[in-house]
Amino acid sequence: MAQFRVCPDSGFYFDKSAESLMKVNAIAGAVSLLIAGILAIGVILTRWQEVHLLPADLFYQALTGHGINALIFWIIFFEIAILYFASSTLLRTRLAAPKWAWLGFILMVVGAVMNNVAVAQGNSSVMMTSYAPMQAEPHFYLGLILFAVGALIGVFVFFGTLVIAKDDQTYEGSVPLVTFGAITAAIIAVFTIASGAVILVPTFLWSIGYINHIDAEMYRIIWWGLGHSSQQINVAAHVSVWYLLAGILFGARPMSEKVSRTAFLLYILFLQLACAHHILVDPGISSEWKVFNTSYAMYLAVLASMIHGLTVPGAMEVAQREKGLTKGLFEWLRKAPWGNPVFSGFFFSLVIFGFIGGITGVVMGTEQINLIIHNTIYVPAHFHATVAVGTTLAFMALTYLLIPVLFRRSLFLPWVAKMQPYVFSAGMTIMILFMLGAGTLGVSRRHWDMDFTGAALSFEYPGTAYMMMAVGGIGGVLGILGGAMYLLVTVGSLVFGKKLEPSAGLFQSFGVPLSSGSYNIQQPERLPMAPKLAVEQHGSAGFEAPGTFVLAMALLVSFVVYYFINWDYLASVWPLS
Amino acid sequence: MPEEDNIPKPERIPFFQRLLENTFLLLFIGVAMPTVFYILWGIMEIATIPVAE
């Protein structure tokens, strides 16, 4: 029975079941992003001290919901959609066990709803980390557990699909690099979800009274195996999306498949160990554990990110130069399609992730200089650079590509889509930079009142800290506007976008398959192995991507300067003799 | 010349490529590494903290 359709614009093959599952997961992710965005208004306008919008209880409630929806539900729903795309579509194979995939999706939705209800009821304002001995309502933990189980089913459906593709020989040679990146993300997801189960199941039992004690330090260590690794799934996933988008937009091929795959292997080996940076100031844990997991192992993962940061734009530059854009160092970049939100979103994601997220991540992972900014607002600034811009913007860019290809609708309000990556990136970058500054001045994260009104032990921040939080607040509002523009375009496209196929109706936008006549392919053609690039051959002595090399050097210089500024700052605030 | 000498031998796949193509081995390594170095070692550190009297 025929079950594939081919997209006439992109040439991608879509398995009927996988297509519906990609759609519903992406939509569930967008709904989570909407909730996260609405709650972000309350968070950012409260931390902007002159506005100070919410009372304390509502602030912590909004912060809890914002964190979980943005950092867990939005990204993992979307990542499951990416896993199905990277396996079924890219390998031209049917999805393994679609019924199990639907069960996984339903569990994820039930879990997400249950957790949001618990937060909305007001007795679970324990923030995303839900550190014991703070206790939430049982359905807060149960919701997270159900969501994790559903996601785990999705991950194993992905692995099953890889097995089917291999058995059916639907591709020649090795899996494409994008699929290999998705495999990396899925492997990290297994560890992430297993860590979540190990700590959330006993915590749930504790919340209903079956267990009388959860050790706070034990909780922190295992919970961060979930909390931080979930963000490492993002890194592997959005790097894969970068390779995909560079390939689709420019026909760019990795400069070296071997090097890029080795970089993904470094992620598999070392990226998850970076969880340890959250524990760097915890007493009772040895320096050996802290230093091995962060300052040794983590740097190998950072090396992998630097490789990707070099090879993705490098591949793009090589492809552009082959088209004749060879003038000077940056003609290839100047003449890139800046008006296409798929490109601008992808490129801003790459630059902001590397320059801000990457550099600040290394500072936070160094035991000594981490002391300056640990648990300050510097930390959310860092992960807004990595997750809110690096991952989210890459996913937004991918959405603009998928709306015509997967949903068969044209973009609604294309001029809004064109502006959106600029508005979102500008707003978020302002917010991030000023929050980094405020964090360096010691402003706490997750703190309702910078004034310490009525506190027994008060503290007065310098005026500059207030100014930085205010400018950061303006940037945050602009970033939220950018997020709203994304949702306007995506939801508008699904509902009002011009149909690119007659049967792409409203229900089809939300997961119902297209008319049966659209799926007229029994088995797609075998995916051929790409020929080796000239740039991959030994002895290609030319300097293939000089512009990218200059950008990489700019990153390296920025990193070195910023790193030593932090050491100098540490020496001034913490004098040792 | 024996006939089997004319049959081309399949190209030997390098070890590193075989490693990268073995998804389930990568899955094992990817879960084992952080479990040992982060989780188990971390738990041992906590378990060896003396209990206050």
Side-chain angles (χ1 to χ4, degrees):
Chain A
M1 191 180 71
Q3 58 177 7
F4 291 91
R5 73 169 175 89
V6 63
C7 169
D9 303 324
S10 63
F12 285 130
Y13 290 90
F14 286 99
D15 169 63
K16 197 174 178 180
S17 318
E19 184 186 49
S20 295
L21 281 153
M22 284 178 229
K23 286 179 182 174
V24 292
N25 275 286
I27 289 166
V31 172
S32 306
L33 185 66
L34 172 67
I35 298 169
I38 291 168
L39 296 172
I41 300 170
V43 174
I44 198 76
L45 291 182
T46 306
R47 296 274 3 215
W48 181 352
Q49 192 67 19
E50 286 72 20
V51 181
H52 210 47
L53 181 71
L54 298 177
D57 54 346
L58 283 182
F59 169 74
Y60 290 113
Q61 196 177 352
L63 188 56
T64 304
H66 169 68
I68 295 175
N69 280 287
L71 293 171
I72 303 273
F73 300 150
W74 145 244
I75 52 153
I76 293 184
F77 271 126
F78 206 92
E79 278 156 1
I80 295 291
I82 289 176
L83 291 186
Y84 295 158
F85 179 84
S87 54
S88 170
T89 302
L90 293 186
L91 298 181
R92 302 182 175 182
T93 188
R94 68 185 168 85
L95 191 74
K99 285 181 184 165
W100 279 95
W102 278 107
L103 174 68
F105 173 71
I106 290 166
L107 283 174
M108 288 169 75
V109 171
V110 171
V113 170
M114 192 181 283
N115 180 273
N116 270 297
V117 167
V119 174
Q121 285 170 332
N123 288 326
S124 299
S125 301
V126 291
M127 288 166 284
M128 180 180 141
T129 45
S130 53
Y131 286 141
M134 276 196 296
Q135 196 177 66
E137 293 288 327
H139 50 302
F140 175 92
Y141 305 108
L142 187 59
L144 288 176
I145 292 166
L146 291 178
F147 183 86
V149 171
L152 193 60
I153 291 173
V155 170
F156 278 101
V157 168
F158 166 76
F159 284 125
T161 307
L162 296 180
V163 172
I164 288 174
K166 194 168 189 177
D167 286 351
D168 292 352
Q169 298 184 333
T170 62
Y171 60 94
E172 287 177 5
S174 308
V175 295
L177 182 64
V178 176
T179 306
F180 190 73
I183 291 172
T184 306
I187 289 170
I188 298 173
V190 172
F191 170 74
T192 302
I193 295 166
S195 302
V198 167
I199 198 60
L200 287 174
V201 170
T203 310
F204 167 67
L205 296 175
W206 169 64
S207 72
I208 58 174
Y210 274 96
I211 291 176
N212 61 13
H213 176 68
I214 295 282
D215 182 85
E217 187 60 43
M218 197 76 88
Y219 179 94
R220 283 170 59 78
I221 290 209
I222 303 174
W223 190 89
W224 278 113
L226 161 76
H228 198 87
S229 296
S230 57
Q231 311 317 310
Q232 318 292 27
I233 309 172
N234 300 344
V235 175
H238 77 228
V239 170
S240 309
V241 169
W242 291 346
Y243 280 112
L244 176 74
L245 296 180
I248 291 171
L249 288 166
F250 301 101
R253 299 258 317 279
M255 293 169 79
S256 166
E257 285 267 352
K258 285 178 205 162
V259 170
S260 295
R261 283 171 202 255
T262 305
F264 276 122
L265 179 66
L266 288 174
Y267 277 171
I268 292 171
L269 293 171
F270 301 111
L271 189 58
Q272 301 152 84
L273 303 179
C275 308
H277 84 78
H278 293 276
I279 314 292
L280 280 177
V281 301
D282 285 30
I285 309 290
S286 70
S287 279
E288 288 83 357
W289 182 89
K290 291 174 182 174
V291 171
F292 174 81
N293 280 297
T294 57
S295 293
Y296 289 100
M298 197 185 86
Y299 292 164
L300 293 169
V302 171
L303 172 68
S305 286
M306 291 174 87
I307 291 171
H308 292 308
L310 184 70
T311 57
V312 174
M316 186 182 126
E317 181 177 353
V318 169
Q320 289 280 74
R321 283 181 183 276
E322 277 173 6
K323 289 174 194 155
L325 300 172
T326 52
K327 208 180 283 177
L329 280 174
F330 294 114
E331 190 190 20
W332 62 276
L333 189 55
R334 275 189 287 111
K335 295 199 172 162
W338 290 99
N340 180 348
V342 180
F343 170 72
S344 55
F346 144 68
F347 200 75
F348 292 147
S349 151
L350 189 148
V351 170
I352 296 168
F353 175 83
F355 273 84
I356 308 181
I359 292 175
T360 56
V362 174
V363 167
M364 287 167 45
T366 305
E367 188 179 6
Q368 296 88 339
I369 49 180
N370 170 73
L371 277 174
I372 308 171
I373 44 83
H374 195 89
N375 268 350
T376 68
I377 201 141
Y378 189 100
V379 182
H382 157 77
F383 69 69
H384 278 79
T386 54
V387 183
V389 182
T391 305
T392 297
L393 194 50
F395 289 180
M396 287 171 168
L398 180 63
T399 311
Y400 295 132
L401 179 86
L402 288 180
I403 285 172
V405 171
L406 175 64
F407 291 90
R408 302 304 290 143
R409 294 273 189 151
S410 61
L411 282 184
F412 175 69
L413 298 177
W415 64 274
V416 178
K418 192 174 167 181
M419 299 290 296
Q420 188 272 332
Y422 292 88
V423 175
F424 186 74
S425 306
M428 295 306 283
T429 304
I430 293 169
M431 185 191 86
I432 291 162
L433 290 176
F434 282 88
M435 276 165 52
L436 288 171
T440 310
L441 293 173
V443 175
S444 291
R445 67 184 295 200
R446 300 169 159 180
H447 192 214
W448 171 67
D449 182 19
M450 269 178 79
D451 286 339
F452 292 91
T453 312
L457 290 169
S458 192
F459 180 79
E460 197 172 327
Y461 288 112
T464 320
Y466 285 91
M467 183 275 289
M468 287 191 171
M469 292 300 286
V471 180
I474 294 167
V477 172
L478 195 58
I480 291 167
L481 176 66
M485 289 165 73
Y486 164 77
L487 290 168
L488 174 68
V489 172
T490 49
V491 176
S493 301
L494 299 192
V495 178
F496 305 114
K498 187 182 156 204
K499 291 179 191 174
L500 299 175
E501 202 153 304
S503 65
L506 185 63
F507 291 117
Q508 282 68 26
S509 287
F510 292 89
V512 174
L514 300 170
S515 66
S516 53
S518 303
Y519 304 93
N520 52 9
I521 297 167
Q522 293 270 28
Q523 180 60 51
E525 286 174 35
R526 199 172 178 210
L527 180 68
M529 191 161 69
K532 222 171 187 182
L533 285 177
V535 74
E536 276 196 83
Q537 308 289 344
H538 289 293
S540 62
F543 203 37
E544 306 289 344
T548 302
F549 185 75
V550 170
L551 289 177
M553 285 301 110
L555 174 71
L556 189 64
V557 170
S558 310
F559 166 62
V560 170
V561 169
Y562 185 69
Y563 190 72
F564 284 102
I565 286 174
N566 272 277
W567 276 98
D568 186 52
Y569 187 50
L570 175 68
S572 68
V573 297
W574 187 36
L576 290 176
S577 57
Chain B
M1 186 184 284
E3 201 172 304
E4 56 265 26
D5 285 359
N6 294 329
I7 301 168
K9 287 181 182 166
E11 193 185 347
R12 194 172 176 282
I13 300 172
F15 165 77
F16 196 62
Q17 187 178 344
R18 276 185 287 148
L19 168 72
L20 292 181
E21 288 181 0
N22 192 335
T23 303
F24 292 97
L25 178 61
L26 293 177
L27 173 62
F28 172 77
I29 297 170
V31 173
M33 276 287 289
T35 302
V36 171
F37 288 107
Y38 175 78
I39 300 268
L40 294 180
W41 185 2
I43 289 173
M44 281 165 57
E45 296 263 329
I46 298 166
T48 51
I49 297 172
V51 178
E53 292 176 14

